[in-house]
Amino acid sequence: MQITYHTALLELEDMPLDIGYSSERVDLKNSAGESFRIGGQNGSTQLIITLPFIDDNCIAQLKEMDSILFINALGGITKTLIVATDKHTMPPLEEWLVGFDYDEAFGDYYGVRLSGGELNGEFTKALFIISKDGAIFHHEILNDLNDPFSLDKALLKIAAAQSCYTGKGCHG
């Protein structure tokens, strides 16, 4: 998959996990070096966002997502922002887990690592929604790193993921 950043064309190293596939549990580290685990079945809907860089536009969109979730009373969601390495300055975001992929497991399992150009090794701009049973329910992988996420579509998918879970796993 080709990704555009300004005038450069980048590639994803692997194919991203597709809708319906079981998500992988991975360990990340926060800026204090503490480990935490995301993915897999953990009993809550998970919103995972990966970014190649953290700028004011990205932070504004994350805060807009928080507002939309609050207004629509969609609580009980684990929200995580992930970058590839610890060289990024992590923003203080309330109610978000913010971490980096210290052992490169997330990038490998989820297929979001970029190759080529100045962003070689960084993650592409992607949004994953994982249902309570641990399956990939929705993803948005932007073709242009300067584009914003479709928050309206993400909101609809989060609401659907919250309401469709039966508690019996993916075959129940």
Side-chain angles (χ1 to χ4, degrees):
M1 177 176 186
Q2 285 193 329
I3 308 292
T4 304
Y5 179 57
H6 298 303
T7 58
L9 285 178
L10 307 166
E11 295 280 339
L12 289 181
E13 286 185 3
D14 296 306
M15 291 297 296
L17 281 178
D18 209 355
I19 307 299
Y21 279 84
S22 178
S23 65
E24 294 286 339
R25 282 192 171 198
V26 294
D27 292 322
L28 305 170
K29 287 191 178 179
N30 64 20
S31 56
E34 302 162 328
S35 292
F36 62 94
R37 181 168 283 167
I38 62 153
Q41 182 177 357
N42 75 358
S44 71
T45 301
Q46 300 175 64
L47 169 63
I48 299 172
I49 292 180
T50 63
L51 296 172
F53 46 80
I54 300 171
D55 61 11
D56 291 340
N57 290 335
C58 294
I59 293 170
Q61 194 163 42
L62 295 173
K63 290 181 178 181
E64 184 181 355
M65 173 63 81
D66 280 339
S67 295
I68 290 170
L69 292 172
F70 179 76
I71 289 168
N72 289 280
L74 289 171
I77 298 167
T78 303
K79 301 177 288 187
T80 307
L81 171 64
I82 306 171
V83 293
T85 67
D86 64 350
K87 74 175 188 171
H88 298 273
T89 301
M90 303 300 213
L93 295 168
E94 286 187 35
E95 300 178 10
W96 284 79
L97 298 169
V98 180
F100 67 95
D101 189 22
Y102 72 94
D103 64 359
E104 300 183 359
F106 185 88
D108 290 343
Y109 286 136
Y110 287 79
V112 294
R113 189 174 296 122
L114 293 166
S115 63
E118 66 183 277
L119 295 175
N120 188 57
E122 296 293 343
F123 291 163
T124 194
K125 197 170 182 181
L127 178 151
F128 292 90
I129 298 170
I130 299 174
S131 62
K132 293 178 183 179
D133 64 1
I136 303 290
F137 193 83
H138 169 75
H139 64 63
E140 179 180 17
I141 299 168
L142 298 175
N143 291 323
D144 188 326
L145 298 180
N146 292 312
D147 288 347
F149 292 113
S150 174
L151 296 184
D152 291 338
K153 187 171 191 174
L155 175 66
L156 291 172
K157 295 296 185 176
I158 290 169
Q162 292 279 73
S163 65
C164 78
Y165 183 67
T166 64
K168 296 181 181 178
C170 57
H171 299 293

